Amino acid sequence: MGIVKISEQMHENLRVASSALSRSINSQAEHWMRIGMLSELYPELRHADICQLLIRVEQAEGFSIAALSQGQASAGQQEAA
């Protein structure tokens, strides 16, 4: 665990979003980081696809890059079938 420095404006955005979505500021920041990371790793996926991927991986074994790679591979196999 570490400290990440962010701008005052981003902190305010996090505060507003976390309040609206009933999350802590840290949980909201982690959520946005996950979505952003997956958007960069899988640019072909829509936001809804990323959310479904996160849910499947969390149910299976928790969030990790390795789990996401396997989850994406199995999702691709299901689409091909």
Side-chain angles (χ1 to χ4, degrees), residues 6-77:
I6 60 172
S7 69
E8 290 295 322
Q9 182 62 53
M10 182 54 74
H11 189 271
E12 180 62 16
N13 293 340
L14 280 166
R15 188 191 66 71
V16 170
S18 67
S19 179
L21 298 170
S22 301
R23 295 180 175 137
S24 69
I25 290 175
N26 287 344
S27 293
Q28 184 64 40
E30 186 171 340
H31 173 72
W32 280 351
M33 284 188 277
R34 285 179 178 180
I35 298 295
M37 180 183 69
L38 291 171
S39 294
E40 288 185 351
L41 290 172
Y42 304 107
E44 70 281 2
L45 295 181
R46 299 172 303 137
H47 180 262
D49 299 327
I50 290 172
C51 291
Q52 289 174 0
L53 178 62
L54 285 170
I55 291 169
R56 285 194 308 268
V57 169
E58 188 64 34
Q59 288 174 334
E61 56 198 83
F63 185 81
S64 72
I65 294 286
L68 286 169
S69 295
Q70 292 170 357
Q72 183 60 25
S74 65
Q77 291 169 356

